[in-house]
Amino acid sequence: MKFKIRSHYKPAGDQPTAIAALVKGLEGGVRDQTLLGVTGSGKTFTVANVIAQVQRPTLVIAHNKTLAAQLAAEYREFFPDAAVHYFVSYYDYYQPEAYVPVTDTYIEKEAQVNEDIEQLRHAATQALLTRKDVIIVASVSCIYGLGSPVEYEKVNLKLTKSEAMTRATLTRKLISIYFDRVTGDLKPGTFRALGATVEIMPASERVIYRVDLTGGKIAKIEEIDATTREIQGKQEALFIFPARQYVTPKDVQDAALADIELELAEQLKKFDTQGKILEAERLKRRTRQDVAMIREFGFCNGIENYSRHFDRRKPGEPPYTLLSYFPRDFLTVIDESHVTVPQIGGMYAGDRSRKNTLVEHGFRLPSAVDNRPLQFEEFRERTGQTLYTSATPAQFELEKSGVPVSQVIRPTGLIDPEIIVRPIVSGSKYGHGVSIFPGQVKDFIAEAEAVTKKGTRSMVTVLTKKMAEDLTAFLVEKHIKARYVHSDVLTIERIEILRDFRKGVFDVLVGVNLLREGLDLPEVELVGILDADKEGFLRSETSLIQTIGRAARNVHGRVILYADQMTGSMERAIGETNRRRVIQVAYNKKHKITPKTIIKRIHDIVGDIERARKRAVADLVALDKAAFGGDTAKLLREKRRQMHDAADRLDFETAALLRDEILTLEKGVKKK
């Protein structure tokens, strides 16, 4: 299968020149290239055209999950027939294991896995092993350890119609590739046996495959919609990949456990020599308990710390990562490279420091340090030709790629936004303002209310998470519909907030740093930057240019910098913006172009999850009403009984579904 763009847009502005230059560089074997594209100039569309011309699997790396989700949605729109997937950390919450020697405090690992994201990760790795037309949009989590692609691909189950197979045999095979057997509702990575049929939900999709085993063979394989239970089609053959991305054959597991025991003996001997009695006892107790758990169940908490042994790697050898699943000729695109490249480079050192402390004090074996992200040099070795995209490329990209490919003219004719500088303290040009001083907030509120009346939106950036929360609360008190976004907001919730913002569910979005790079919000007419003169990371030249760019997708875009003094960063940011405006205005005048606000469909990567659940609940309610002859009171009593039974069995997924059914039924009763 080939990459084929499906879009009613054609390259325009600087895009045709940029596409030609980048393709020429790739075909000429150039290792690194930089696309310096201003905000709203269509860098993603340019890269999509490059991918379509070179026809190579592509890894796109973004520096946060929200931006990665937006990019994945855009690439899916450009390549609806290709396999475009989203690969980010599947933790909604993650507290790594750590030890603080000064206070003798051990912090146990805590994590909350998001099942929807885990499903998307499985879909990504499986696509890489089965197709060539693959684009994976990933966060920096792609440089962290993942199971061996060789073992993952090797241990898959192929089911073919008419193949000899019993229910017991199929059940054993599914369990051997880490599927869980359930009796209630299916979720990814589970199966249930009903008479002569086995229903399977793969780890990578919310589709049920019903395998009919009548007569000691596979009589038929049906694909069923997980929500409506309607039969979508029949399959002649079906591939089922493991439900976990870490796959370890029995012989490899036995060898790994033997190595763990040997390493434990060596480390205990070392501790004994050093007189570390407490550390030795701690390590011995923990490791032997983990080994016993792995022998019995094939798993233990913190099993990733033994990954070097299970992967059969040598000490210091880098782990398998998502990059290991790509074919050799893949293309790497690093989006917003001025942020993403330093992020990739900084992961290893912090992880190593934390692990060394754990090893030194007997919480982990020395091999735990090899459960780690790639070092930057290792990342470079595992990636080939690379495109860096940014409106503000850093020194690294410019040194590696030389003169960047420039994309200053927007296809829509939009020019960079007008910049206005206003004082923090009302009534004075320069003074000694303090954060969230009434002057700047009062002025922003007046401007935002005027924008809201026109049907467009406003954004405002502050310096801390607490300030974002406090300002949002203050705006709400003033009867302004506002929400905030910062790094403590869960991944899926961030995406939903941005979607609701674009839809007009609320009018003002407050943020700290997440509102800078890459977020595509054409409805935003006004951007306010509070405390713009507080020099630092959040008010550097790069940060200011990126934040200013959030207003560049709207023809009426304006940016207000609230400052009591003109800093060097402000001068350079304003100067660069004005330089671009001159070029853009001249181009529009020459080609008689009238700028237009970008119109973009509102979508997100996981927006259908809640809709699917609501449809499922509505369908179940309709079926149950029919079964109970329309007796809602009797049906409610039965549903409440089933919900409590499910909760007693600790089957909270079923209990939650039943709870939603009850709420839907009760709403119907109230309406009557």
Side-chain angles (χ1 to χ4, degrees), residues 1-7 48-49 51-53 55 75-83 133 135:
M1 301 180 74
K2 293 186 176 182
F3 290 106
K4 185 175 180 181
I5 289 183
R6 296 187 184 276
S7 173
N49 276 273
I51 293 170
Q53 289 197 34
Q55 291 291 315
Y75 280 113
R76 281 183 179 175
E77 194 168 345
F78 293 141
F79 297 109
D81 303 320
D133 58 333
I135 298 173

Side-chain angles (χ1 to χ4, degrees), residues 171-235:
T171 298
R172 283 195 299 272
K173 285 179 179 288
L174 289 168
I175 291 171
S176 72
I177 58 173
Y178 309 108
F179 274 74
D180 291 327
R181 183 172 181 174
V182 297
T183 55
D185 288 341
L186 291 172
K187 60 182 181 180
T190 64
F191 74 96
R192 63 186 172 204
L194 305 165
T197 64
V198 174
E199 294 186 341
I200 308 163
M201 184 176 285
S204 60
E205 53 185 332
R206 290 189 180 275
V207 172
I208 297 172
Y209 292 98
R210 179 187 290 158
V211 182
D212 187 336
L213 298 160
T214 305
K217 66 177 183 178
I218 297 177
K220 58 183 176 181
I221 303 171
E222 296 174 320
E223 181 180 335
I224 300 172
D225 187 291
T227 303
T228 64
R229 303 289 299 180
E230 292 179 356
I231 296 174
Q232 301 294 306
K234 296 184 178 181
Q235 307 284 337

Side-chain angles (χ1 to χ4, degrees), residues 522-540:
E523 295 79 11
V524 172
E525 180 178 323
L526 173 67
V527 172
I529 303 178
L530 303 189
D531 303 304
D533 57 359
K534 303 299 185 289
E535 279 275 25
F537 169 67
L538 294 177
R539 298 296 182 262
S540 66

